[in-house]
Amino acid sequence: MSDNLNETIAESGGVDPATVPFRTLHTGSKIPAIGLGTFGSDKYSGAEVAEAVKGAIRVGYRHVDCAAVYGNEHLIGQALREVMDSGVKREELWITSKLWNDKHAETDVIPACENTLKDLQLDYLDLYLVHWPFPNHHAPGVDADARDPHATPYIHENFMKTWRQMEKLVERGLVKHIGTSNMTIPKLKRVLRDARVKPAVNEMELHPHFQQPELFKFVNNNGMVAIGYSPIGSPSRPERDRTEEDTVDIEDPVIVRIAERLGVHPAVVCVKWAVQRGQVSIPFSVRRSQYLSTLQGLVSDPLTEEEMQAVAAIDKNCRLIKGQVFLWEHAQGWEDLWDLDGEIAR
């Protein structure tokens, strides 16, 4: 990183990227333990998200979590081009994207990735994920009752056909690592058994009120890294994902009390807890004050062991992103997506 860029970061009140924690993947590559999410839901425009990406990189972020379905990669690509033109080297950045559900067919995977690379103005991705383990597609903005008439449950043989194409992306050098997202232990067991290129990560919902301890342990024990989305409880999630039973992490007394001790917003505590726990955290914000304070808070005083234990004790098993729109005709409810009884639902 150039001296001029270091000066720019310092002048902005930003954080030296070299001081940001990282996780080491099974390949030896290091992924920054905090990244900026880019799912703006229906509340923020693509231009706002792209501007946030540019601003976040300028204050020290080096990890950006994208997806084709978010509809903003062409704008983020221009933001990435601008920051790289200003002195940030491509190899200093970690860029993730995801294969959407309507591109699981063997003939669609590689072209989908190539289109993402074109939109992002990149020669390669550091990480490419299968966004959901189902080929079930839904139109943007639908409510929770919407169903794809062609939706199917998880069919392992079909998923592995998709995975073989993901492996080809690695072989061709278009992608450095591949991974899964929104998976369960029963599904991951089968993928790990049959994959030629091992998934490097599993991206999953993780926050203090939804800690997924069994899945988190399984991912770690099998040499993968857990990436946690919705780390502060997803206050910007779509309306279809909201139910009366949902809880609010940043209002939890334990989180609030720690935040008061540290002099930070409760959201910062959620991210600090996540990173100290050993996961990668990808909070989303378009507001400079928020993404900057989160990064500053991450590299400041850690939570104590007692505080870590206190947060571990407030798990409410409260899943916020339930995925109802991916259900198939004979599914009993959103729980079927998550194999709660340890067997893959049919």
Side-chain angles (χ1 to χ4, degrees), residues 84-102:
M84 285 190 283
D85 287 346
S86 72
V88 178
K89 297 178 181 178
R90 170 64 184 95
E91 57 268 27
E92 294 174 0
L93 296 172
W94 184 282
I95 309 298
T96 296
S97 188
K98 311 179 192 78
L99 179 77
W100 188 237
N101 305 0
D102 62 349

Side-chain angles (χ1 to χ4, degrees), residues 101-102 104 133-139 146-155 158 325-331:
N101 305 0
D102 62 349
H104 280 211
F134 313 100
N136 309 338
H137 180 63
H138 63 84
R147 297 289 180 270
D148 172 2
H150 306 293
T152 63
Y154 178 82
I155 301 171
N158 291 346
V325 292
F326 304 120
L327 290 171
W328 50 95
E329 183 179 0
H330 300 295

